[in-house]
Amino acid sequence: MPHQDFPRSLRLLNAGEYRHVFDHASLKVHGKGLLALACNNALGHPRVGMVFSKKTVRRAVDRNRLKRLVRESIRHQQHRLPDVDIIVLARRGVHELDNDTLHRQLHGMWRRLEKDVRKQSTSLS
């Protein structure tokens, strides 16, 4: 059984890493209330960062709940995700969705991201 933890190596840690993804995002995956930007990396594993602004998600408890759900989703799907850096952005109204809906949204976004990366790599070769 693969490891199911969320170590520092799976996270975008500093502003430079976030800036790189924002500047070079070759993939965009939309979900209901969420957007994921992704660009390839050469690390051999995915990394994720989250941007849930106070303007978009007012209450801290809602921002923390979203972060917890994204981390849990990545933790369970890390072995299936391609080698990309991902930034998950919140859109207005995402805090109104329940946990099950968010979990399904994230799972669908990771599947679409996996498919898009596969499609992109076959078109490049």
Side-chain angles (χ1 to χ4, degrees), residues 24-28 38-41 82-84 112-125:
H24 299 97
S26 57
L27 300 164
K28 290 182 184 180
C39 70
N40 294 322
N41 71 30
D83 303 338
V84 292
R112 285 194 306 275
L113 182 66
E114 185 180 6
K115 186 171 66 172
D116 290 351
V117 167
R118 217 176 310 119
K119 189 187 313 180
Q120 185 182 51
S121 64
T122 57
S123 68
L124 292 177
S125 52

Side-chain angles (χ1 to χ4, degrees), residues 28-90:
K28 290 182 184 180
V29 180
H30 299 272
K32 185 175 186 178
L34 296 170
L35 168 68
L37 302 174
C39 70
N40 294 322
N41 71 30
L43 300 173
H45 58 83
R47 295 189 304 176
V48 69
M50 295 170 262
V51 178
F52 300 138
S53 70
K54 199 185 284 189
K55 184 177 179 180
T56 307
V57 184
R58 286 304 272 170
R59 297 182 334 156
V61 293
D62 293 329
R63 290 192 302 274
N64 291 337
R65 178 178 67 96
L66 290 170
K67 290 177 194 176
R68 218 173 23 254
L69 289 169
V70 171
R71 282 193 299 265
E72 179 185 359
S73 179
I74 287 287
R75 193 171 60 80
H76 287 293
Q77 298 295 322
Q78 66 186 353
H79 61 282
R80 296 185 59 208
L81 289 172
D83 303 338
V84 292
D85 290 341
I86 306 163
I87 295 179
V88 180
L89 298 143

Side-chain angles (χ1 to χ4, degrees), residues 93-107:
V94 67
H95 67 280
E96 296 169 359
L97 300 174
D98 61 29
N99 289 358
D100 288 337
T101 304
L102 282 167
H103 205 49
R104 282 193 308 275
Q105 286 293 319
L106 289 165
H107 186 69

